[in-house]
């Protein structure tokens, strides 16, 4: 390995307006007072990236991370749209209808936990590409099986790949964009309603056209497993719409992997490299990004070395626990010391009363947010279909309504991003208002059944769901430091995904068509109100502070 001092001189290139290499400036910098060694280095990285603004590299990262968001709800929506056609062909009973959603959520749950932890261990680069590759491989296979159990297995593996996308992509985006552009973290969620619209549009084009025959009473011909040989039934050949839909979505997923892995060269996160003691590589990455953006980087090894001898900065601000980010000193630790250092990293989540309070509240918010929108994603399409059938609207009209409803998630995300930095509203009260109104829409929907009210209340629910999740997903990685950021975001997503498994199963026990449509809506609304209460309990100072 090249000597760090030599590399620092080779990479000097200090710009005259910043002069980050001036050691006296660093030692007398009031913003560094009381920070740990790692946090001081992270602050310098923040300043360097802030000086870039939204360069070409940052925009590439934003859109490629956004495509990960697109996949998340694209598949979640797709399963809701193809499940009725799937049930028509395979003939499984109503109490197994939710199994495909639970299977998908089980995969998402495992993926969120595994990839959330791995991204802080193996790095952002591998996780960034592998999650999409796994989702693409199993997504392309989803339309092949002709039995429900085979589909459930493939769905779980597809979910495992997709499950890491939101915690990983938000973490990556946060660690590369300038601080004054953090509203873009919320704006990442705009790709989710686009994903829903894509899934709805593809399903609208395939499912009604290539579906089993509809009888005069509005029901489909029965599954072939339910009738005697020779009787009219729903065959595979007459019901290819849901398969064409899933094949198309798998191809989209594979295309996104191609963009991430082949077209774009992703650089490892400098903050990940710093807390792993790889200062030299972090400096190299910053120079590579600067070159990609047509600039020169002012960060050198000399800059980091100026901080290395400050022994008082090696502990955390609150506990003095040995902290990551000590450069070559960290790399020279014994195996046992590295194990203790790794354990100390996980303790950050509960290192102070405030951090423990944030951690627990974030977990509960994710639990009941996912509880609410998982029931919505599972049952609102089916409830809308039942209600529209009752007022003599066709299946084609209902699928048209899906597209109209989910397009309205886009302005919801835009409003959430706009509220991100508004004084006296900001992240906290944007989440409070949107979660409360999302819950209200569920309750009101139980009382009406006209074409206008069905569309209007579904639009209201999805608008505020999109706004709430945009702000929540963008804010979550901000509040946790980089050494534990992926793990913290992944565990929060894990708890949410776990509740996504449970909630459709509970709703399935109380949902019966056509006379018991409302209980799942009450269940969803009550869960989302829990989120509203927990958000009000969050400390306001956790919103929008410096991210290390």
């Amino acid at each position: 390995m090249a000597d760090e001092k030599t590399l620092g001189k080779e990479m000097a290139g200090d710009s005259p307006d910043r002069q980050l290499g001036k050691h006296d400036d660093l030692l007398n910098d009031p913003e560094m007072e009381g920070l740990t060694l790692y946090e001081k280095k992270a602050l310098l990285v923040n300043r360097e990236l802030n000086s870039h603004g939204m360069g070409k590299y940052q925009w590439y990262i934003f859109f490629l991370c956004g495509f990960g968001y697109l996949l998340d709800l694209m598949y979640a929506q797709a399963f809701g749209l193809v499940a009725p056609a799937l049930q028509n062909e395979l003939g499984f009973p109503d109490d197994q209808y939710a199994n495909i959603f639970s299977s998908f959520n089980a995969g998402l749950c495992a993926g969120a936990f595994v990839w959330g932890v791995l991204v802080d261990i193996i790095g952002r680069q591998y996780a960034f590409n592998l999650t999409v590759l796994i989702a693409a491989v199993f997504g392309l296979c989803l339309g092949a099986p002709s039995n429900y159990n085979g589909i459930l297995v493939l769905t779980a593996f597809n979910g495992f790949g997709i499950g890491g996308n939101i915690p990983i992509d938000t973490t990556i985006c946060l660690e590369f964009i300038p601080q004054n552009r953090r509203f873009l973290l919320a704006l990442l969620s705009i790709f989710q309603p686009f994903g829903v619209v894509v899934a709805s549009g593809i399903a609208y084009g395939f499912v009604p056209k290539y579906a089993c025959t509809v009888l005069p009473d509005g029901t489909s011909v029965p599954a072939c497993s339910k009738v005697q040989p020779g009787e009219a039934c729903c065959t595979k050949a007459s019901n290819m719409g849901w398969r064409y839909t899933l094949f198309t979505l798998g191809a989209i997923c594979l295309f996104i992997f191609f963009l991430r892995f082949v077209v774009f060269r992703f650089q490892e996160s400098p903050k990940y490299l710093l807390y792993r003691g790889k200062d030299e590589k972090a400096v190299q990455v910053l120079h590579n990004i600067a070159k990609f953006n047509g600039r020169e980087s002012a960060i050198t090894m000399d800059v980091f070395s100026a901080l290395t001898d400050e022994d008082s900065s090696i502990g955390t601000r609150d506990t003095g626990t040995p902290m990551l980010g000590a450069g070559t000193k960290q790399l020279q630790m014994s195996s046992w010391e590295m194990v203790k250092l790794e354990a100390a990293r996980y303790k950050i989540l509960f290192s102070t009363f405030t951090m423990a309070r944030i951690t627990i509240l974030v977990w509960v918010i994710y639990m009941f947010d996912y509880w609410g929108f998982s029931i919505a994603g599972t049952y609102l399409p089916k409830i809308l279909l039942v209600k529209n059938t009752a007022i003599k609207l066709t299946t084609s009209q209902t699928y048209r309504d899906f597209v109209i409803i989910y397009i309205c998630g886009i302005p919801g995300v835009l409003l959430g991003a706009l509220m991100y930095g508004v004084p006296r509203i900001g992240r906290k009260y944007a989440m409070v208002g949107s979660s409360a109104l999302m819950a209200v829409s569920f309750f009101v929907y139980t009382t009406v059944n006209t074409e206008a009210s069905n569309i209007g209340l579904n639009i209201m629910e999805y608008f505020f769901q999109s706004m709430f999740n945009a702000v929540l997903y963008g804010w979550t990685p901000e509040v946790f430091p980089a050494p534990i950021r992926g793990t913290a975001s992944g565990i929060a997503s894990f708890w949410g995904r776990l509740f996504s498994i449970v909630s459709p199963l509970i709703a399935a026990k109380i949902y019966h068509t056509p006379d018991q449509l409302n209980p799942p809506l009450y269940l969803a609304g009550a869960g989302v109100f829990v989120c509203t209460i927990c958000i009000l309990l969050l400390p306001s100072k956790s919103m929008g502070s410096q991210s290390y």
Side-chain angles (χ1 to χ4, degrees), residues 105-338:
N105 284 321
L108 292 173
C109 182
F113 184 84
V114 171
W115 292 113
V117 173
L118 282 180
V119 76
D120 286 334
I121 297 175
I122 66 173
R124 283 47 166 153
Q125 191 173 36
Y126 290 110
F128 185 64
N129 292 317
L130 286 174
T131 50
V132 178
L133 177 61
I134 292 170
V137 169
F138 288 100
L140 284 168
C141 297
L142 267 170
S146 296
N147 65 85
Y148 198 32
N149 288 335
I151 292 169
L152 295 180
V153 171
L154 292 173
T155 299
F157 279 103
N158 173 257
F160 178 76
I162 292 173
N165 272 309
I166 287 181
I168 288 174
D169 292 339
T170 315
T171 293
I172 289 171
C173 200
L174 173 66
E175 292 178 357
F176 284 101
I177 65 172
Q179 187 169 359
N180 65 353
R181 294 292 186 271
R182 282 201 201 164
F183 68 89
L184 291 173
L185 296 174
L187 203 59
L188 277 174
S189 291
I190 202 167
F191 289 89
Q192 288 189 305
F194 274 121
V196 172
V197 171
V198 168
S200 299
I202 292 171
Y204 178 52
F206 284 129
V207 176
K209 185 175 181 180
Y210 302 99
C212 294
T213 305
V214 177
L215 300 174
D217 62 359
T219 62
S220 174
V221 293
C224 294
S225 61
K226 302 294 184 183
V227 299
Q228 297 297 321
E231 292 185 31
C233 65
C234 186
T235 65
K236 177 179 178 179
S238 64
N239 197 44
M240 290 294 291
W242 67 269
R243 287 186 168 83
Y244 293 150
T245 298
L246 295 178
F247 286 143
T248 305
L249 298 186
I252 292 172
C253 199
L254 186 63
F255 176 70
I256 291 172
F257 170 74
F258 178 80
L259 292 178
R260 286 189 174 194
F261 187 70
V262 178
V263 176
F264 180 71
R265 180 64 179 173
F266 176 72
Q267 301 287 322
E268 185 56 86
S269 164
K271 291 182 180 178
Y272 166 79
L273 294 170
L274 284 178
Y275 74 70
R276 287 299 174 189
K278 300 177 182 179
D279 293 10
E280 182 181 321
K281 290 185 178 180
V283 171
Q284 183 63 62
V285 165
L286 290 170
H287 281 255
N288 292 343
I289 294 172
K291 183 178 179 180
F292 193 90
N293 287 336
R295 314 172 42 91
E296 289 187 358
S297 173
I299 294 285
T300 70
M301 281 304 302
D302 283 339
V303 175
F304 289 155
S305 297
L307 304 172
T308 303
D309 293 329
E310 298 180 61
D311 294 334
S312 63
S313 71
I314 294 179
T316 64
R317 284 169 289 174
D318 301 299
T319 66
T321 303
M323 186 60 170
L324 302 168
T328 54
K329 290 182 179 180
Q330 181 180 327
L331 296 178
Q332 293 165 1
M333 288 179 176
S334 68
S335 297
W336 177 241
E337 287 174 326
M338 289 299 292

Side-chain angles (χ1 to χ4, degrees), residues 23 32 54 75 83 107 141 167 202 218 255-256 261 296 365 371 377 380 383 392 416 424 431 433 439 457 481 492 515:
H23 298 180
M32 293 209 177
M54 284 301 292
Y75 271 104
C141 297
I202 292 171
F255 176 70
I256 291 172
F261 187 70
E296 289 187 358
I365 291 166
W371 170 284
L380 280 181
I383 291 172
K392 309 303 181 185
R424 299 185 182 182
M431 288 192 287
L457 287 166
D515 55 329

